[in-house]
Amino acid sequence: MLNKFCKKPLYEVTLKMANVATGVEKADMVIKNAKLVNVCTCEIQEGIDVAIAEGRIALVGDASQCIGDATKVIDATGQYIAPGFMDAHIHVESAMIGVGEYARAVVPHGTTGIFMDPHEICNVCGPDGVKAMIEDGKRVPLKSMSNVPSCIPAVAGFEDTGSHIGPKEVREMMTWDGVMGLGEMMNFPGVIYGDPNVHGELAETLKADQVITGHYSVPDTANGLNAYIASGVRCCHESTRAEDVLEKMRHGMYALMRYGSAWHDMPVIIRAILDNKVEDRFACLISDDTHPDTLISEGHLDYIVRLAVKEGLDPIKAIQYVTINPATCFRMDHEMGSITPGKCADIVFFDDLNDIQITRTMIDGDIVAENGKMTVEIGKSAFPASVYDTMHVGETITPESFKIAAPEGAGASVKTRVMEIIPNRVGDYERIMDLKVADGAVQNDPDNDVIKMAVFERHHKTGTKGLGFLKGFGLKKGAMAQTVSHDAHNLLVAGTNDEDMALAANTLIECGGGLCAVADGKVLALVPLPIAGLMSDEPVEVVADKITKLDAAWKDMGCTINSPYMTMALMALACLPELRLTNRGMVDCRTFQFVDLFAE
């Protein structure tokens, strides 16, 4: 596979590499006296020099003969150096900013490469949206390697999206510059039970000699998992139990252990490695979904590495999980993931192995960040007009839009299916609850933390909507709305009363999408996301500040859980157990069937 993510391909500079290593020619840069985190042998080597030329590493060892009058020398005495960190599964759109602003947020934290899955914008804008993300990434030093979205919609027949992806589109997009594989195959039932379109996408990816990434979210480690892996899926980030991670690695699948703004699976599932003392070459640390305020306040992969070390993971192992392991997963270890001769000079510097705080980031031999700040300019993004103006709701939303009529003949109450969230996890529970009926409509149950939820189709003016009930957010008043609503990104609204729900919905329709919180007839916080209803074109710091205010508004309304807007965003995703609500209705994601809201 020809890597297009370094300054120059290796075949153009082999002679230069050899000449610099032997001292015949001099290096562009030499790092002196570093403590090298050698991810190939899992050891620290003291007093190591690294010679760099043409953006690549020519020598690791004693580089005295590589230094000339024009060579830039960095004295790294007392410092550690490691390969640049790579995120093996990330949705940039979840940070609510484009790739350029995302780079500005994560590169100072040591992230030099991401394997992004832009299926959020693809659900809204189709392949043109993916192309816009790839183009936005070309203007920054961060290596934004892209996967082709696989499941548009996530599970066919259960929701309406703005676009469609099938084998034909996958075949075309596999030829694009910057594409590395197939995005997470969420339709695992389609893989296991032989959906021809799903297997057509897998086939087109394999014919292109690319990597298939996975999403296997059910606790089945027997025949289903075997069928999934046997169909070519190489990695999975949806493990929520330690035994899932262990079995996936035992079957030769890369286990991507997630810790994002809302999904805190890593401390639980890393026990698969810590308690079993198994070979861990198939383990990676990833973020999946990270909000801008988390990136600003905590960091990115450096933060996850620190957390893994606190859980008891050897720090060199933790670094392997964000360097050579993801590089090998994507078959890029011949170019990235280690500080070894011939590889791209993507290098991070830090002082303390047990508390990794990045002081310098280098990409292709260029210093791109120091002391928490970018050292290169990143201009304003220039997304095409086609990814704006994406709010096309097919009905006028009023308080009456949220009325949930009781079934005919209902008495004072009715047994109703309610979705109960699990804080900091992607799953939810189906609960059967008795909800009161008044004036022919089923009511909220504030004493039991039950609120209404609605999903309005917003791409094609179909006028379809789903209505249901939620439990676990703790809202005492008000309502919220968001177009960040995985994966179809329809207009999702939830709240304690119909009037505030209508105001929240119409606020987002007017501003082109985003997130907002409303209470007592007033907008408490608003995060406009005009790019596909998913991303802002403002600087990351501005977006982070707006998210902080949104979080405060949620708390004012009574919610105390972590990242409630991200948890809310998954309530319409019809491939996560147990129960979800889409614009077409309520879906049992264990049987993949529509179910009635009422259980009587």
Side-chain angles (χ1 to χ4, degrees), residues 165-307:
I165 294 291
K168 177 182 176 182
E169 289 79 11
V170 170
R171 180 170 61 251
E172 164 62 24
M173 295 167 75
M174 284 293 164
T175 67
W176 292 1
D177 289 345
V179 164
M180 301 296 297
L182 188 69
E184 57 179 297
M185 177 46 73
M186 293 177 288
N187 191 356
F188 54 87
V191 176
I192 295 169
Y193 300 114
D195 182 293
N197 281 320
V198 169
H199 280 271
E201 292 186 12
L202 302 181
E204 292 300 340
T205 306
L206 296 173
K207 282 191 286 185
D209 195 27
Q210 301 282 37
V211 170
I212 300 170
T213 67
H215 172 121
Y216 192 78
S217 59
V218 290
D220 168 20
T221 56
N223 294 353
L225 179 61
N226 276 272
Y228 193 64
I229 297 173
S231 298
V233 183
R234 190 166 173 85
C235 59
C236 178
H237 64 282
E238 283 294 337
S239 300
T240 58
R241 307 180 307 165
E243 53 263 44
D244 298 333
V245 166
L246 187 58
E247 286 306 311
K248 286 170 184 175
M249 292 195 301
R250 281 172 170 168
H251 286 73
M253 173 179 267
Y254 282 83
L256 313 184
M257 296 180 288
R258 170 174 54 195
Y259 197 98
S261 292
W263 327 130
H264 296 175
D265 299 306
M266 182 273 291
V268 174
I269 61 180
I270 202 170
R271 303 312 309 181
I273 295 162
L274 298 178
D275 295 346
N276 292 284
K277 311 299 181 184
V278 294
E279 170 60 51
D280 56 359
R281 72 182 72 181
F282 288 105
C284 299
L285 294 169
I286 62 146
S287 64
D288 194 5
D289 298 298
T290 308
H291 272 169
D293 52 332
T294 303
L295 295 175
I296 294 296
S297 63
E298 304 288 358
H300 184 219
L301 291 171
D302 59 329
Y303 174 53
I304 303 172
V305 165
R306 291 193 296 270
L307 291 176

Side-chain angles (χ1 to χ4, degrees), residues 357-495:
Q357 307 283 344
I358 304 301
T359 60
R360 180 185 292 118
T361 304
M362 185 181 295
I363 297 178
D364 287 345
D366 295 327
I367 297 171
V368 293
E370 285 193 288
N371 301 317
K373 301 291 184 182
M374 294 292 293
T375 56
V376 295
E377 285 293 322
I378 295 179
K380 186 176 176 59
S381 63
F383 277 90
S386 60
V387 302
Y388 290 85
D389 187 25
T390 60
M391 293 297 292
H392 309 296
V393 178
E395 70 168 90
T396 301
I397 296 179
T398 68
E400 189 70 15
S401 302
F402 301 96
K403 180 179 178 179
I404 300 178
E408 187 175 348
S413 66
V414 59
K415 291 189 180 299
T416 306
R417 288 185 170 87
V418 175
M419 299 174 290
E420 182 177 0
I421 66 164
I422 307 172
N424 296 323
R425 303 290 287 274
V426 299
D428 70 357
Y429 299 121
E430 176 188 25
R431 302 299 190 202
I432 306 298
M433 302 182 65
D434 287 310
L435 298 184
K436 293 180 180 179
V437 175
D439 298 324
V442 186
Q443 305 297 307
N444 291 348
D445 186 354
D447 293 339
N448 287 300
D449 190 20
V450 176
I451 60 175
K452 279 185 185 177
M453 173 176 160
V455 180
F456 297 87
E457 195 277 325
R458 63 110 168 172
H459 305 292
H460 305 294
K461 297 184 179 181
T462 65
T464 56
K465 67 181 177 185
L467 296 170
F469 291 93
L470 273 177
K471 178 176 173 61
F473 281 95
L475 291 191
K476 306 300 183 186
K477 63 178 181 179
M480 56 66 56
Q482 51 193 75
T483 51
V484 179
S485 174
H486 302 290
D487 273 330
H489 298 293
N490 285 309
L491 174 58
L492 186 156
V493 191

Side-chain angles (χ1 to χ4, degrees), residues 322-334:
V322 294
T323 56
I324 195 166
N325 290 10
T328 306
C329 175
F330 282 92
R331 300 185 306 187
M332 294 293 290
D333 52 306
H334 65 301

